[in-house]
Amino acid sequence: MSADATIPARVPAPGSRSLRPLVGVLTAMAVSLTGTRVSAIALPWFVLATTGSATMTGVVAFVELAPYVLVKAFTGPVIDRLGPRVVSWTTDAVSAVAAGLVPLLHAFGLLPFWLLLVMVAMIGAARGPGDLAKEVMVAEAADRGRIPMERATGLSGVTERLATTIGPAVGGGLIALLGPMAGLTVNAVAFALGSLVIAVALPRGMGRSAAVPEASGPTTASTGGGAAAGVAAVDGDRPVGYWRMFREGFAFLRGEPLLLTVIVTVAVTNLLDAAFLTVLVPVWARETGGGPAAIGLTGSAWGIAAVAGSLIAAAVAHRLPRRTVFFVGFLLVGAPRFLVLAMDVPMGLVVAVFVASGFGGGFLNPILGAVQFERVPRHLLGRVNALGDSLAWAGIPLGGLLAGAAVSMAGLIPVLLACGGLYIATTALSGLRPEWREMDRKRGRAQAAAPDASSIPEQTVPGPTAPVAG
């Protein structure tokens, strides 16, 4: 395959414009993410109800998210080689089978705890590449639709937030009426539908491989942030080796000061958000007597406000100063959620804080997604996103594990206060660094094919239900 042969799969023909690619990708994301949001409530509640242990609840979260992060980290070259479309529908199909086996085995009394961990690990390992593949296709869909990158990533954020809104409401209702296994059944069906949309509904030719062939020798390009990376040139039809592709992605990541600051900041906040979702909120709901309904209410309130924030970001974020908006959003989305749950306040005030948090969170990923797609050449998106996302998510598997142990030793309120303080310290100290000024460079200049820019991985700054969804 030559580099020229991959360009038509990414760039629309002159005069053509189609919204079908973006609609298809967002539909698949909406379906699969809604299912995982339902599971994000159903699974922790099932474990907490059957074992009574916050520690075991954290163990289940770790077993799902550790394979998610590890497999995702090494999948980038595979996505660049095979194409994100193939990877997306096949991994969603695997997730559907694994998720469907959990309620089936439980119904026949054949689901010991160790086997539940195996099934959860399989789901996590398959979800990582599937989520990454859909993220990569957003850039191609924006190119085909000639849509500003902030708008495309904003709509992607809206889709995620809608899933965050619908999922907790559906999950809380299903658990209350039918039990947690009903939520896991919905998750399996959602994965199957997401696989079908990607395999059948996307335009022909979309999501093909964008990998650059074997090089006769590396060429060095000065990056916008001062880094330099070796990239492959065309040398006949010999494919680039896996580890060569992996190293090229790593070379892009390690030399960018903004990238390093983003990864450290988001890794810490993702760990705290994972602890919040998988352990702290379920334990708070049980201790206050709110139960699954309280989890669904707060999650849906956060999600509705996040949808509003993402819609505004999609409409006007390309005109706003990214750095200012980003840190105001981070201030709202972080510590207030932890602190309000540590106080004995009415549910109305809790919901109000979650609304403000969700609104701020709606602006974060559209900004970071736009920066990423502007700075990363298309043929490197898979491997760069895989490494960057995995590094930023590295602490997520530990979030529930550490929170479960901490709650068992110190109690819920001290852990909530400590996590809220750490959130404030992380975002405040990070915001003092000068690298954030790079966020507004190369604005509006998406990298279609030429490897001449530095990169930044797409980061996930999850709200109260996002870490389990990927």
Side-chain angles (χ1 to χ4, degrees):
M1 182 193 335
S2 69
D4 292 338
T6 67
I7 294 177
R10 297 191 306 272
V11 181
S16 68
R17 181 176 185 267
S18 174
L19 297 180
R20 180 183 170 190
L22 187 59
V23 171
V25 173
L26 295 182
T27 299
M29 291 176 64
V31 172
S32 60
L33 287 176
T34 298
T36 54
R37 296 304 196 268
V38 172
S39 177
I41 292 180
L43 187 59
W45 191 259
F46 170 71
V47 176
L48 195 60
T50 54
T51 68
S53 170
T55 301
M56 289 297 100
T57 304
V59 168
V60 172
F62 174 82
V63 169
E64 179 179 10
L65 292 171
Y68 179 100
V69 172
L70 288 174
V71 174
K72 190 176 186 180
F74 291 96
T75 306
V78 177
I79 290 177
D80 287 339
R81 175 67 57 78
L82 299 179
R85 184 174 190 163
V86 171
V87 173
S88 178
W89 76 259
T90 53
T91 53
D92 277 1
V94 171
S95 296
V97 172
L101 284 174
V102 173
L104 182 64
L105 293 172
H106 178 72
F108 288 97
L110 301 175
L111 189 67
F113 188 71
W114 68 265
L115 186 56
L116 173 65
L117 295 180
V118 172
M119 294 293 100
V120 167
M122 288 178 60
I123 295 171
R127 271 183 47 224
D131 289 351
L132 175 63
K134 294 180 188 67
E135 293 171 10
V136 169
M137 283 191 285
V138 170
E140 180 184 347
D143 291 341
R144 286 173 175 258
R146 296 184 177 177
I147 300 169
M149 203 57 68
E150 277 107 339
R151 187 157 296 165
T153 55
L155 291 173
S156 175
V158 170
T159 302
E160 180 185 349
R161 305 315 184 189
L162 280 172
T164 300
T165 304
I166 297 171
V170 173
L174 281 175
I175 294 171
L177 293 174
L178 303 175
M181 285 297 121
L184 297 177
T185 302
V186 168
N187 190 26
V189 173
F191 275 127
L193 290 176
S195 176
L196 187 64
V197 170
I198 293 295
V200 176
L202 291 184
R204 188 175 182 179
M206 182 177 174
R208 291 178 178 173
S209 170
V212 174
E214 182 69 71
S216 56
T219 60
T220 302
S222 295
T223 65
V231 295
V234 177
D235 183 21
D237 292 325
R238 289 183 297 161
V240 176
Y242 172 87
W243 290 111
R244 169 70 176 274
M245 296 174 70
F246 188 89
R247 287 194 301 270
E248 287 174 357
F250 184 77
F252 261 83
L253 298 184
R254 68 181 180 181
E256 174 62 48
L258 173 61
L259 164 66
L260 298 177
T261 305
V262 168
I263 286 178
V264 172
T265 302
V266 178
V268 175
T269 58
N270 277 352
L271 184 151
L272 296 172
D273 285 319
F276 189 78
L277 166 66
T278 58
V279 174
L280 300 182
V281 170
V283 172
W284 166 79
R286 186 184 64 174
E287 292 189 358
T288 59
I295 303 175
L297 176 61
T298 54
S300 295
W302 191 96
I304 291 171
V307 169
S310 295
L311 284 171
I312 295 174
V316 302
H318 57 288
R319 299 190 183 96
L320 299 177
R322 287 174 174 171
R323 184 184 182 190
T324 301
V325 173
F326 180 76
F327 279 102
V328 170
F330 237 144
L331 178 64
L332 292 174
V333 78
R337 289 176 293 126
F338 293 85
L339 300 180
V340 75
L341 295 191
M343 304 175 184
D344 185 15
V345 298
M347 179 60 73
L349 181 57
V350 174
V351 171
V353 170
F354 273 66
V355 167
S357 172
F359 184 77
F363 285 84
L364 301 182
N365 282 350
I367 291 174
L368 289 177
V371 172
Q372 163 211 351
F373 290 135
E374 287 169 359
R375 300 170 72 94
V376 183
R378 292 288 186 264
H379 72 282
L380 292 177
L381 272 178
R383 67 202 92 165
V384 170
N385 282 23
L387 287 168
D389 286 358
S390 296
L391 290 171
W393 279 56
I396 290 181
L398 299 175
L401 201 63
L402 295 175
V407 169
S408 298
M409 291 187 295
L412 176 63
I413 292 179
V415 175
L416 285 168
L417 292 174
C419 289
L422 183 57
Y423 217 117
I424 293 174
T426 300
T427 54
L429 293 175
S430 171
L432 299 177
R433 297 193 59 85
E435 289 86 357
W436 293 103
R437 291 194 291 268
E438 298 288 324
M439 293 185 80
D440 285 290
R441 293 193 178 183
K442 300 193 177 185
R443 193 159 186 165
R445 289 183 285 166
Q447 299 297 315
D452 62 355
S454 62
S455 66
I456 178 170
E458 180 178 2
Q459 307 300 326
T460 300
V461 187
T465 60
V468 176

